[in-house]
Amino acid sequence: MTTPTQALQLILGRVRPLPARLLPLEQVLGLAVAEDLHSPSTVPPFTNSAMDGYAVQAADLAEASEAHPVCLQVLGDLAAGGVPLCAVGPGQALRIMTGAPLPEGADSVVPVEDTTRGGNWVETTRPLRAGIHIRLAGEDLRKGQLLATAGQGLRPGDLGVLAAAGIATVSVHPRVRVAVLTTGDELVDVSEQPGPGRIRDANIHAVCAQVTACGAIPVPFPRVPDDRATLLGVLRQALEADVVLTTGGISVGDYDFMKAMLEELGAERIFWKVAQKPGGPLGFWLLDGKPIFGLPGNPVAAMLMVEEYVRPALRKLMGFSKLHRPEAEAALEDGWTGRTDQRTTFLRVVARREADGLKARLTGPQGSAILSSMLVANALAVVPEGVAQVEPGGVVLLHLTEEAEDH
Ligand code: AMP
Ligand code: MG
């Protein structure tokens, strides 16, 4: 059996980022930039007023006080978007609004709150230093400055900066389209009342949601019965997507046809079965370079496999340089006892920060069919192979599945 580390290496060794595309700014939120982005311009492009007030020469106000108010001649006014038509000389002021270009001659702005206005004059009792309440050209962004690094996901703040700098289109890796197939004669739609022996299809919703949460686009397929011919036909259609995920039918049951059908289609098996709990029967195939993941049917196992193996692969396909969740060590308060075997165990836990470090608690029974154990989990504790027991308070490695999205 393949170890979790080997499985991840085998997967990541075989997937490459999808070719980059030039997309308009309004379509790139959350996508990874394909190349470093540098500012093509200076921001702000001109020195401008940071306040609503009066553009002046600070030297005029150096001696201003309650006892000696300074009175200046007002030349006119200037709104944001306007251009100054005259220079400000000694003894003069120009009424100016926030964002309007500072007129020639002026070196600072007196906030309107510090002035008294009458006709074509303005008076102030506050002294002022040169360079106050103005924003210098280029103080925000220099021309050529690095704005984003290849492999970085774009966030709202990044889009604002790119817009200010004049970058209207960005070369990004597109979202991956992921076909999601669930298989099993026992499955019914969530809206149906399951008849005898039937259960609701949880995976189609959980797995599609995980794909969406990765920033990829799920393409859900109608449920596939445990029938070779039907499965073969649906797999052919699913292969039009960039990645195929299937759940169920991957084990050694009499109706588990997934492996055989994928191989009938000519897919190359990279591995099948990972030495881990929950969920050993994960398979990974390639067909003309297209990744196909055969996930277990068991919903906990399926979700865990998506989290640990599919998510990093989707992120790599989407060009992100950070593929993995943040990790941390935590004290497992309730401890854990398992069976001694050679498999890595992933425990669903709730982690919280305390003054003396990170603490984790099991979400409840850890059986691989206990889907409710996923409900409140915000991390997975990784108990390595060969370890059958963690003492209460023992240290475990966590994969933080809800930590602020790495970008
Ligand atoms: P399988 O791998 O097909 O043998 O499925 C393993 C277990 O997971 C069985 O108990 C199935 O009924 C269950 N299962 C398979 N697919 C789903 C699904 N889409 N939603 C919920 N349970 C499922
Ligand atoms: Mg099945």
Side-chain angles (χ1 to χ4, degrees), residues 162-188:
L162 299 184
I167 298 180
T169 55
V170 189
S171 177
V172 287
H173 295 284
R175 293 184 196 283
V176 183
R177 289 177 61 253
V178 184
V180 183
L181 271 65
T182 55
T183 70
D185 283 346
E186 73 277 32
L187 303 177
V188 301

Side-chain angles (χ1 to χ4, degrees), residues 141-166:
L141 302 178
R142 282 173 290 105
K143 193 171 174 170
Q145 184 176 333
L146 182 66
L147 302 181
T149 316
Q152 176 194 325
L154 293 168
R155 296 175 298 174
D158 298 311
L159 301 197
V161 168
L162 299 184

Side-chain angles (χ1 to χ4, degrees), residues 182-261:
T182 55
T183 70
D185 283 346
E186 73 277 32
L187 303 177
V188 301
D189 187 75
V190 58
S191 59
E192 287 173 58
Q193 187 59 42
R198 314 290 294 274
I199 57 166
R200 295 189 181 90
D201 180 357
N203 289 347
I204 194 73
H205 295 281
V207 172
C208 285
Q210 285 181 299
V211 168
T212 305
C214 290
I217 303 168
V219 182
F221 275 70
R223 275 176 309 287
V224 190
D226 291 317
D227 170 77
R228 288 167 180 270
T230 316
L231 180 58
L232 202 60
V234 179
L235 281 172
R236 281 208 178 92
Q237 289 175 38
L239 281 161
E240 301 202 343
D242 301 311
V243 176
V244 178
L245 303 184
T246 69
T247 77
I250 194 74
S251 199
V252 291
D254 290 349
Y255 300 93
D256 290 345
F257 303 133
M258 192 61 73
K259 289 197 299 291
M261 292 308 101

Side-chain angles (χ1 to χ4, degrees), residues 5-349:
T5 312
Q6 287 167 342
L8 202 52
Q9 276 171 358
L10 286 169
I11 294 166
L12 296 179
R14 303 294 183 111
V15 300
R16 301 266 165 281
L18 296 183
R21 282 185 206 159
L22 207 56
L23 290 182
L25 217 42
E26 49 275 25
Q27 291 175 25
V28 300
L29 179 66
L31 300 183
V33 292
E35 52 203 36
D36 289 358
L37 294 177
H38 298 270
S39 179
S41 45
T42 290
V43 177
F46 48 87
T47 299
N48 63 89
S49 178
M51 301 283 283
D52 293 324
Y54 290 86
V56 299
Q57 296 191 350
D60 281 346
L61 308 187
E63 307 295 321
S65 67
E66 291 291 339
H68 297 100
V70 172
C71 190
L72 302 169
Q73 177 203 359
V74 178
L75 300 171
D77 54 22
L78 184 62
V83 232
L85 299 174
C86 56
V88 170
Q92 296 182 325
L94 182 73
R95 175 80 171 109
I96 195 167
M97 310 308 152
T98 307
L102 197 71
E104 221 173 291
D107 56 19
S108 42
V109 170
V110 194
V112 70
E113 297 85 340
D114 294 346
T115 63
T116 310
R117 175 78 183 261
N120 66 346
W121 56 267
V122 66
E123 196 180 79
T124 181
T125 56
R126 292 274 186 96
L128 197 70
R129 270 184 297 112
I132 294 288
H133 302 316
I134 62 171
R135 307 160 174 161
L136 293 174
E139 73 173 22
D140 190 356
L141 302 178
R142 282 173 290 105
K143 193 171 174 170
Q145 184 176 333
L146 182 66
L147 302 181
T149 316
Q152 176 194 325
L154 293 168
R155 296 175 298 174
D158 298 311
L159 301 197
V161 168
L162 299 184
I167 298 180
T169 55
V170 189
S171 177
V172 287
H173 295 284
R175 293 184 196 283
V176 183
R177 289 177 61 253
V178 184
V180 183
L181 271 65
T182 55
T183 70
D185 283 346
E186 73 277 32
L187 303 177
V188 301
D189 187 75
V190 58
S191 59
E192 287 173 58
Q193 187 59 42
R198 314 290 294 274
I199 57 166
R200 295 189 181 90
D201 180 357
N203 289 347
I204 194 73
H205 295 281
V207 172
C208 285
Q210 285 181 299
V211 168
T212 305
C214 290
I217 303 168
V219 182
F221 275 70
R223 275 176 309 287
V224 190
D226 291 317
D227 170 77
R228 288 167 180 270
T230 316
L231 180 58
L232 202 60
V234 179
L235 281 172
R236 281 208 178 92
Q237 289 175 38
L239 281 161
E240 301 202 343
D242 301 311
V243 176
V244 178
L245 303 184
T246 69
T247 77
I250 194 74
S251 199
V252 291
D254 290 349
Y255 300 93
D256 290 345
F257 303 133
M258 192 61 73
K259 289 197 299 291
M261 292 308 101
L262 283 170
E263 280 152 37
E264 194 164 320
L265 283 170
E268 176 198 0
R269 188 200 295 186
I270 308 300
F271 65 81
W272 174 64
K273 276 201 166 183
V274 182
Q276 70 163 73
K277 280 171 69 179
L282 167 75
F284 179 60
W285 285 261
L286 288 174
L287 184 56
D288 298 331
K290 188 161 295 188
I292 306 167
F293 292 85
L295 307 168
N298 179 312
V300 175
M303 287 191 76
L304 207 130
M305 296 302 192
V306 173
E307 174 59 39
E308 290 291 320
Y309 305 100
V310 178
R311 182 181 183 276
L314 296 184
R315 288 184 64 84
K316 183 156 185 196
L317 283 154
M318 291 191 289
F320 290 99
S321 47
K322 276 194 203 157
L323 304 182
H324 302 289
R325 299 281 196 187
E327 293 186 346
E329 286 192 334
L332 187 64
E333 291 179 311
D334 25 15
W336 172 80
T337 308
R339 272 184 289 148
T340 339
D341 63 20
Q342 293 306 305
R343 292 189 280 181
T344 303
T345 306
F346 291 90
L347 302 171
R348 280 80 70 204
V349 300

